[in-house]
Structures are given as C-alpha cells and as structure tokens.
C-alpha cells in the first residue's frame, strides 16, 4: 500500500517564483451573460490562453526545474497524446532538456504533430497506451531518463496550484470555483492554494458522465478503474491510478462537490463560450460553463469563478459544434 501525501500552500508559493518567467499569468474576465443567468457575478479564468494552450505547462515547468543536474542531462520522458505532452515538450525545450514522448500507433497524426511542434522527440510504439508505457519504463531503466506523469506528482500539483494563487489575487472575494476534474492534479493544486487563503471557498469539480474515474473512486472510497469512453472532453479521459499517492486524498479532502455533464451539455458549453464569450476552448475547457448552463450549479454563492482550462481542439470539430451540428463522439450513433 502506498502512503498518501499532501502538497502544501508553501510548496505552491515557492513554485510560483520558480516558474513565473516561463508561464503566462492568464487574464480573468467577467461574463455578462453568465452573471445574468446565475444572478451573481461570474468570472472566467482564461487559462486556455496559457502557452501550449493549457495549464499543464505550469506543472511540467516546475517538475523539470526541480530535477538535479544529472537528471536534467539524462532527459525526461512521458506518455501523452495531448496537453501533458505539449506542456512537457515545451517546458523541456525551454530548460534545454531532452524530452521523449511515447505514444501508440493509434494516435491521430494531428496530435503527434502538435507535440512535435513543441520540440519533443515522438516515439510511436505498439497499439496501446500500455505498450507506450513499457517503452517509457525501458527508457527510464536503460537511459536513466526521468518519467514525468500527468497529475500524481508533488511538483506537478504544486505547478497547477499556481493558478489558484493568481485567482486569490484576481478575484479575492470569490465564493465558488468550478474546476475541471480528471486525474485531479489541477483541482488538488488549485484547491490547496485557494483554501489556504480562504477555507470557505466552495471548490466544485466538473467531469463528464462518460468515464469519470475520480468521481467513481470518491464514491467507492478508494481508487477504482473505470472503462475509458470517447467524449468531447477528451482531455478529461483516463484513470487516476490504483496506486494513487496524492490526488485521490487531496480531492477527497479539499473538493466540496462533483458535477457530471452529458455530451450535449459539454457541447453547449463550447457553443456558449464561442458565441457569447468569443473564446475558443476544447471540450474539457468548457465543462464549468456547461454546468452553469445546464442548471447543475444550485444557488451558488457568488462571485463564481469558472476555469477555461484548455483550447486544444480540432478546429473542424469546433466548427461543427458551434454551428450546432450534432456531434457524436460516443460511437452510439445518436
Ligand atoms: C489535463 C487537463 C484537465 C484535467 O486535469 P487533471 O489534473 O487530470 O484533473 C482539464 N482540462 C484540460 C484542458 C486538461 O488538459
């Protein structure tokens, strides 16, 4: 059994100075339409405007900065098809550290190109995420490279938490915060940063109904596996790890409620953010707004902050969604 641990406010504060020169302090804007809908001020944190298009670069930059010189010269490696891969590639390049991202043959070329564009070596191995993971394990053993995981890692959680420090300053009287929830690195860091500042702020996690691993694990009282299903919020897919060390315990302690969305509610979030807020976000980025539009946030105390966590979406898919076409990613045929 692994021992669970917490990431402290002090660790997040120390991280901020370390990564500040390499990341953006993203803006916060009040949403007129959502403030009207909820009857309290609603603010959007525009983190999809972060370098690499998501917050993942915060944690990756911190984790790389904390490596020893020997570890830096051996390089870093990870498995990712999406935002973690981009963040890691960017952060490694900025630090002059070699980076290899492993992925399976099934990953679409656009995603491979997205990661290569940030300067990483991409290694295409086998036909599953597990086979790609075995290649990572091999690189760790044979070449002494350091594996950086997407969420269950103290320095990565502390990096994501710097977003919470920014919110403490940008919306000091916030009462409710909606945060995307997948592996829980983001919400653990953000909740630790915000609750140290004001323990009364309500932190609400938002996931999709299809494959909400952390939600199922919270219900079971321990990390459990769930079937991975296709979803518009593809950046929220995947498990939390049965040997989870940090994010399960932190989420269990710091998160007040979890809301789950249907695919149609996620699409409605993307549409609203485009037509009303004039921002382009991916499915995962839209779930907080989707929750408000669906009426799933009951009489929230205001001000409310909703995080737009990422913007990496296929633009053809985005166009179909904002044009109101029925977008089926579920394979269910309706
Ligand atoms: C990774 C990611 C999330 C979820 O973060 P976790 O730390 O896994 O909970 C949310 N939104 C976007 C855009 C992401 O890339």
């Amino acid at each position: 059994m692994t021992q669970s641990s917490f990431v402290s406010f002090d660790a997040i504060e120390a991280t901020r100075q370390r990564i500040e020169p390499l990341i953006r302090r993203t803006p916060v804007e009040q949403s007129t339409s959502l403030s009207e809908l909820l009857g309290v001020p609603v603010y959007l944190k525009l983190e999809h405007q972060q370098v690499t298009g998501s917050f993942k670069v915060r944690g990756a930059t911190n984790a790389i900065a904390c490596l020893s010189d020997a570890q830096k010269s051996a390089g870093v490696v990870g498995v990712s098809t999406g935002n973690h891969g981009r963040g890691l590639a960017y952060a490694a390049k900025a630090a002059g550290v070699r980076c290899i991202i492993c992925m399976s043959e099934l990953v679409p070329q656009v995603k491979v190109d997205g990661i290569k564009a940030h300067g990483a070596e991409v290694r295409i191995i086998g036909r599953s995420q597990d086979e790609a993971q075995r290649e990572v394990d091999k690189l760790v053993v044979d070449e002494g490279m350091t594996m950086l995981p997407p969420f269950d890692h103290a320095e990565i959680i502390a990096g994501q938490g710097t977003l919470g420090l920014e919110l403490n300053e940008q919306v000091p009287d916030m009462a409710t915060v909606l945060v995307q929830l997948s592996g829980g690195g983001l919400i653990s860091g953000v909740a630790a940063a915000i609750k140290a500042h004001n323990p009364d702020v309500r932190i609400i996690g938002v996931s999709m109904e299809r494959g909400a691993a952390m939600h199922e694990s919270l219900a079971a009282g321990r990390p459990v596996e769930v079937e991975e299903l296709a979803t518009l919020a593809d950046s929220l897919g995947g498990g939390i790890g049965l040997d989870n060390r940090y994010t399960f315990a932190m989420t269990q302690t710091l998160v007040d409620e979890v809301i789950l969305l249907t695919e149609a509610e996620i699409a409605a979030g993307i549409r609203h953010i485009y037509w009303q807020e004039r921002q382009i976000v991916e499915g995962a980025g839209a779930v907080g707004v989707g929750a408000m539009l669906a009426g799933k946030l009951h009489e929230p105390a205001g001000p409310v902050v909703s995080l737009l966590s990422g913007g990496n979406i296929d633009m053809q898919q985005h166009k179909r969604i904002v044009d109101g076409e029925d977008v089926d990613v579920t394979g269910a045929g309706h």
Side-chain angles (χ1 to χ4, degrees):
M1 228 178 111
T2 43
Q3 179 87 35
S4 66
S5 318
F6 266 59
V7 174
S8 71
F9 181 77
D10 290 349
I12 300 170
E13 278 265 320
T15 295
R16 187 178 193 175
Q17 290 157 28
R18 206 176 290 131
I19 71 172
E20 207 150 43
L22 292 161
I23 63 134
R24 270 182 209 149
R25 177 189 165 103
T26 51
V28 165
E29 280 179 12
Q30 183 165 359
S31 163
T32 312
S33 59
L34 294 169
S35 300
E36 235 161 67
L37 178 72
L38 264 62
V40 293
V42 176
Y43 295 90
L44 302 175
K45 170 79 165 157
L46 307 184
E47 183 69 9
H48 63 300
Q49 295 179 6
Q50 186 54 263
V51 287
T52 74
S54 88
F55 67 87
K56 290 273 192 340
V57 71
R58 294 178 185 258
T61 300
N62 189 41
I64 289 172
C66 292
L67 296 175
S68 68
D69 288 345
Q71 287 172 319
K72 279 183 186 159
S73 53
V76 295
V77 57
V79 178
S80 170
T81 61
N83 289 329
H84 174 57
R86 287 175 195 243
L88 204 53
Y90 179 92
K93 190 170 188 198
V97 168
R98 182 181 182 206
C99 174
I100 302 179
I101 304 292
C102 301
M103 53 183 81
S104 88
E105 284 163 16
L106 304 178
V107 174
Q109 191 61 37
V110 285
K111 293 203 164 182
V112 177
D113 293 343
I115 287 170
K116 276 190 184 159
H118 287 294
E121 283 171 53
V122 172
R123 206 164 280 189
I124 314 272
I125 299 283
R127 297 189 63 78
S128 71
Q129 190 90 337
D130 288 349
E131 283 177 73
Q133 182 62 50
R134 277 199 287 281
E135 177 67 12
V136 167
D137 297 342
K138 196 165 156 288
L139 287 165
V140 169
V141 173
D142 294 352
E143 303 195 24
M145 298 183 84
T146 300
M147 200 275 286
L148 291 177
F151 54 86
D152 198 31
H153 183 286
E155 277 115 32
I156 288 180
I157 296 166
Q160 323 308 31
T162 59
L163 199 156
L165 298 180
E166 291 173 19
L167 284 177
N168 288 341
E169 295 164 3
Q170 290 171 312
V171 194
D173 58 345
M174 63 189 157
T176 306
V177 184
L178 293 164
V179 184
Q180 288 73 7
L181 175 57
S182 175
L186 175 63
I187 207 166
S188 295
V190 167
I194 291 177
K195 289 206 166 177
H197 180 251
N198 177 0
D200 295 333
V201 176
R202 209 172 151 72
I203 306 285
I204 301 180
V206 192
S207 305
M208 65 291 167
E209 283 182 356
R210 295 174 59 80
M214 184 63 88
H215 181 259
E216 295 292 313
S217 299
L218 292 171
R222 65 188 158 81
V224 294
E225 282 187 274
V226 298
E227 192 192 346
E228 196 167 338
L229 300 166
T231 167
L232 273 179
D234 54 311
S235 292
L236 302 184
I240 70 161
L242 293 178
D243 53 355
N244 189 292
R245 283 199 54 197
Y246 298 94
T247 61
F248 176 70
M250 289 185 76
T251 303
Q252 204 177 31
T253 308
L254 298 171
V255 174
D256 297 288
E257 182 189 341
V258 176
I259 294 174
L260 302 182
L261 295 193
T262 65
E263 295 300 304
E265 288 164 348
I266 297 167
I270 294 174
R271 267 196 295 276
H272 176 95
I273 290 166
Y274 181 73
W275 293 110
Q276 304 296 322
E277 317 297 341
R278 299 172 180 244
Q279 303 288 336
I280 294 171
V281 298
E282 59 178 281
V287 296
V289 171
M292 290 188 261
L293 295 173
K296 289 186 168 175
L297 192 60
H298 302 294
E299 296 179 14
V304 173
V305 175
S306 182
L307 188 59
L308 308 188
S309 58
N312 292 319
I313 185 168
D314 177 89
M315 288 308 290
Q316 292 301 331
Q317 184 187 34
H318 187 270
K319 182 173 183 302
R320 289 193 296 274
I321 294 169
V322 300
D323 284 349
E325 290 172 35
D326 197 22
V327 182
D328 178 28
V329 296
T330 66
H334 55 78

